């Protein structure tokens, strides 16, 4: 088994972990031992290995109980895990649901059309086009119409320091996701408390 080496830095909810030797067990242990909201990034993972690790974690009951959002991007060769998402990380879900309802009430779409749109959260998606063939992605939210394998609208969120990851996620969706038409990137910033 390899060892985790190299720098580990923490900025609010973002942790970037550089690894010399990497094993699925190392990554699994880090995810399972994280006991606070964090965005973990494991870098320099080859596409076939990253795909295999991300796919196996989806089927791992212990990982599933921890509720992380696991994704792998073969272009950046980074496996990410959002562990213990917070209310802020998920607040866009209610907004998106309300907007779909408002579209029906305003006559923009019919009830039958709305029923064809599935709002999904924490759903592992695969089947991306080249150069993202080995990608797996759990979007923060997405709208999946009818029988399409990938969504048409995707929402990705993160804190200020995770902007490069959000930008890479956008590229993955717009280049590798054949049916994706819109990617909403939401970047959270902690404001100082004003009295």
């Amino acid at each position: 088994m390899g060892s985790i080496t190299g720098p580990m830095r923490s900025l609010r909810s973002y942790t970037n972990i550089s690894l010399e030797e990497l094993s699925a067990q190392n990554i699994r242990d880090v995810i399972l031992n994280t006991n606070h909201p964090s965005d973990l990034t494991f870098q320099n993972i080859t596409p076939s290995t990253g795909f295999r690790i991300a796919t196996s974690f989806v089927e791992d009951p212990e990982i599933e109980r921890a509720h992380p959002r696991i994704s792998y991007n073969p272009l950046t060769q980074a496996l990410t895990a959002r562990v213990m998402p917070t209310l802020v990380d998920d607040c866009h879900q209610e907004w998106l649901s309300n907007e779909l309802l408002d579209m029906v009430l305003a006559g923009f779409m019919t009830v039958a059309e709305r029923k064809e749109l599935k709002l999904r959260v924490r759903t592992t998606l695969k089947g991306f086009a080249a150069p993202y063939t080995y990608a797996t992605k759990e979007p923060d939210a997405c709208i999946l119409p009818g029988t399409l394998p990938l969504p048409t609208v995707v929402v990705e969120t993160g804190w200020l320091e995770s902007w490069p990851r959000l930008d890479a996620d956008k590229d993955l969706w717009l280049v590798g996701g054949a049916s994706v038409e819109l990617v909403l990137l939401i970047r959270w910033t902690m404001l100082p408390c004003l009295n």
Side-chain angles (χ1 to χ4, degrees):
M1 174 173 16
S3 63
I4 296 180
T5 60
M8 179 189 272
R9 67 183 179 99
S10 233
L11 299 172
R12 242 177 269 149
S13 67
Y14 182 73
T15 302
N16 189 1
I17 302 169
S18 295
L19 306 172
E20 270 181 21
E21 286 185 58
L22 189 60
S23 76
Q25 187 64 46
N26 292 135
I27 296 171
R28 184 179 184 276
D29 290 346
V30 170
I31 292 170
L32 291 176
N33 292 320
T34 299
N35 59 6
H36 60 281
S38 296
D39 281 341
L40 305 174
T41 300
F42 304 90
Q43 299 178 336
N44 302 320
I45 302 174
T46 61
S48 60
T49 301
F51 182 82
R52 191 175 63 252
I53 291 171
T55 303
S56 71
F57 284 176
V58 171
E59 299 167 1
D60 183 320
E62 285 186 72
I63 293 281
E64 185 179 3
R65 279 191 291 280
H67 301 292
R69 292 187 188 139
I70 306 286
S71 297
Y72 176 71
N73 185 325
L75 254 56
T76 61
Q77 293 194 344
L79 184 128
T80 58
R82 176 169 287 165
V83 180
M84 300 174 66
T86 66
L87 291 174
V88 171
D89 292 318
D90 291 340
C91 70
H92 61 278
Q93 297 165 14
E94 186 175 348
W95 168 78
L96 199 54
S97 179
N98 289 338
E99 286 301 312
L100 290 170
L101 175 62
D102 288 347
M103 292 168 79
V104 171
L105 295 174
F108 185 77
M109 72 173 130
T110 66
V111 171
E113 289 170 327
R114 169 57 188 98
K115 287 181 178 180
E116 288 294 314
L117 301 177
K118 300 173 210 120
L119 180 57
R120 295 289 183 250
V121 175
R122 231 189 139 255
T123 301
T124 303
L125 299 170
K126 299 179 242 177
F128 292 89
Y132 294 97
T133 309
Y134 285 102
T136 67
K137 191 74 180 91
E138 288 188 20
D140 292 315
C142 68
I143 298 174
L144 192 61
T147 60
L148 289 179
L150 292 173
T152 54
V153 176
V154 175
V155 179
E156 295 286 2
T157 68
W159 292 91
L160 177 64
E161 55 274 4
S162 63
W163 187 254
R165 180 187 51 81
L166 290 173
D167 195 45
D169 288 348
K170 176 225 2 136
D171 292 342
L172 183 153
W173 287 115
L174 292 175
V175 175
S179 58
V180 176
E181 297 176 18
L182 175 67
V183 177
L184 297 171
L185 299 180
I186 300 173
R187 182 177 70 182
W188 304 113
T189 303
M190 186 76 73
L191 297 177
C193 184
L194 301 175
N195 291 328

